[in-house]
Amino acid sequence: MQKRKLGNSGLEVSALGFGCMGLNFLDGKGLDKKDAITLLRSAVGRGITFFDTAEAYGPYTNEELVGEGLRPYRKEVIIATKFGCKDARPATGLDSRPETIRAVTEASLKRLNTDYIDLLYQHRVDPNVPIEDVAGTVKDLIQEGKVKYFGLSEASAKTIRKAHSVQPVTALQSEYSLFWREPETEIIPTLEELGIGFVPFSPLGKGFLTGTINSKLADVDRRNVIPRFSEENIKANLILVDALSEIAEQKNITTGQLALAWILAQKPWIAPIPGTTKLHRLEENIRSTDIVLTADELAKINTTVNGITLVGERYPEVLEKQIDR
Ligand SMILES: NC(=O)c1ccc[n+]([C@@H]2O[C@H](COP(=O)([O-])OP(=O)(O)OC[C@H]3O[C@@H](n4cnc5c(N)ncnc54)[C@H](OP(=O)(O)O)[C@@H]3O)[C@@H](O)[C@H]2O)c1
């Protein structure tokens, strides 16, 4: 697996990371512990060195799983986690007070069964705590050796600049895919200017871009709260997947691989973190790092996507309100 550097920070990660959220964060669905640990270790065996979790996933249990699964490989892997959701529950609100950041970091270290966190992200920008105070707190944690690098998630360009002036930001983790291209307007140019890496989450559009979702989701599926995944919006947005599938077929790759290869082709300092609970899909996703899209193919994808209007918000109102503008 190729490696990539996240901006100017020197942090090197596998070109494709592994988003661990779905392993057990599906309200009781997901994998049992033994299978999840086997999958995590299979990912390491196939060259993935970059793993993403958060206090809020579970809450708590995802970090424990990642800690246990990666324990034998601790020195070889980069573990990223996040603080900032009130009581570790995204829908409850935000809490990035310095004392909370410290307490959450200590608890995450225990759950991850490690004495340092490679990359610590603020999960969402807290409007009640100046970002300079957040950056200053993480700076102290870095000086204490508990954290190596600082990241933000879904932060605006203005917030990124302010935080970066206090403690260099190594990576921004925000949604980016052929299903959500808003970061291209202001965020990606800002990251490029400041030398900050980009870690796109939901790079497969939460599964939609793989072409495996074409009708109403099962009642237990957590994506049901997302307007884009209502039955009528799924139907309307399939026009995008159908168009991408045609291009993928001509190249003899899957639509999911096309979606990942497209992200990887945007900038050399981007490392997406797709999630899966299945080994064959993990292998399929890893193969996307060997796919080269030509300038003509990239232009065709661009024209195709620009010609399609997608419908439905990407978050329910309560979570949309938490996005930093
Ligand atoms: N910072 C944030 O606020 C934030 C928000 C969301 C997510 N994240 C992070 O980003 C990671 C990934 O995001 P995500 O899980 O929302 O979306 P994603 O990676 O775009 O999609 C995951 C979904 O795609 C399916 N899938 C994966 N590979 C596939 C393939 N080759 N063919 C068909 N289906 C495939 C998975 O199902 P199966 O399991 O059945 O394969 C799963 O339902 C998370 O694990 C988490 O670490 C961060």
Side-chain angles (χ1 to χ4, degrees):
M1 164 88 68
Q2 311 146 31
K3 296 264 174 82
R4 288 191 166 201
K5 288 214 168 85
L6 290 177
N8 296 340
S9 67
L11 180 61
E12 198 174 60
V13 296
S14 51
L16 207 72
F18 189 94
C20 300
M21 180 181 78
L23 290 177
N24 70 343
F25 185 54
L26 288 167
D27 299 332
K29 267 180 55 212
L31 296 176
D32 69 33
K33 190 171 152 188
K34 193 172 135 279
D35 292 341
I37 288 175
T38 302
L39 189 62
L40 281 168
R41 293 181 180 174
S42 302
V44 178
R46 283 154 182 77
I48 291 191
T49 63
F50 187 29
F51 293 84
D52 188 75
T53 180
E55 170 202 45
Y57 302 160
Y60 313 123
T61 51
N62 197 261
E63 284 188 328
E64 286 164 5
L65 190 63
V66 169
E68 188 172 339
L70 299 180
R71 186 70 204 151
Y73 313 100
R74 180 64 192 98
K75 290 208 177 83
E76 298 151 47
V77 296
I78 300 298
I79 300 179
T81 192
K82 315 182 193 79
F83 65 83
C85 298
K86 189 163 186 279
D87 301 325
R89 285 172 170 81
T92 310
L94 302 170
D95 182 359
S96 277
R97 288 172 297 163
E99 61 271 31
T100 311
I101 298 175
R102 285 197 153 276
V104 171
T105 302
E106 291 300 338
S108 290
L109 284 166
K110 283 209 183 79
R111 286 189 292 268
L112 288 166
N113 192 9
T114 181
D115 50 11
Y116 64 95
I117 291 163
D118 294 282
L119 176 55
L120 183 66
Y121 295 102
Q122 182 190 40
H123 211 145
R124 287 291 182 274
V125 175
D126 183 344
N128 297 315
V129 181
I131 196 66
E132 291 84 349
D133 295 354
V134 173
T137 306
V138 177
K139 189 187 187 93
D140 292 344
L141 290 165
I142 291 173
Q143 274 160 8
E144 290 160 31
K146 293 178 176 170
V147 172
K148 303 264 187 226
Y149 297 95
F150 174 38
L152 297 170
S153 179
E154 290 290 343
S156 66
K158 204 168 96 192
T159 302
I160 295 167
R161 283 182 193 283
K162 282 193 205 163
H164 195 64
S165 69
V166 176
Q167 166 59 43
V169 176
T170 290
L172 176 79
Q173 180 180 130
S174 288
E175 183 163 359
Y176 182 50
S177 72
L178 285 165
F179 205 25
W180 181 253
R181 294 177 69 183
E182 195 184 84
E184 290 173 5
T185 325
E186 202 187 354
I187 293 297
I188 292 181
T190 304
L191 299 179
E192 185 142 50
E193 179 199 324
L194 300 176
I196 297 172
F198 190 27
V199 178
F201 74 70
S202 304
L204 294 167
K206 302 187 192 295
F208 188 71
L209 293 171
T210 64
T212 52
I213 297 171
N214 46 31
S215 57
K216 188 181 175 305
L217 297 171
D219 288 344
V220 290
D221 197 301
R222 75 194 149 94
R223 290 166 295 193
N224 276 315
V225 298
I226 299 172
R228 280 195 162 182
F229 285 93
S230 73
E231 191 173 2
E232 68 267 28
N233 288 341
I234 287 177
K235 270 193 200 139
N237 291 332
L238 273 176
I239 185 174
L240 170 69
V241 182
D242 292 344
L244 295 174
S245 299
E246 239 176 70
I247 303 173
E249 239 169 69
Q250 284 162 14
K251 210 172 160 64
N252 212 10
I253 59 177
T254 67
T255 317
Q257 286 174 326
L258 180 87
L260 294 175
W262 176 84
I263 293 186
L264 289 164
Q266 300 308 303
K267 299 284 175 193
W269 38 269
I270 293 187
I273 47 166
T276 182
T277 50
K278 298 170 182 68
L279 181 59
H280 72 277
R281 288 181 170 175
L282 174 69
E283 291 176 332
E284 176 188 326
N285 297 347
I286 288 173
R287 285 196 295 276
S288 67
T289 61
D290 292 324
I291 294 166
V292 178
L293 296 170
T294 64
D296 281 354
E297 286 163 345
L298 288 166
K300 191 172 175 189
I301 295 169
N302 206 30
T303 316
T304 305
V305 176
N306 286 345
I308 293 171
T309 305
L310 296 168
V311 292
E313 299 298 322
R314 69 178 177 125
Y315 273 124
E317 208 183 333
V318 60
L319 298 181
E320 182 59 35
K321 275 195 202 139
Q322 293 178 359
I323 302 294
D324 184 39
R325 303 263 171 225

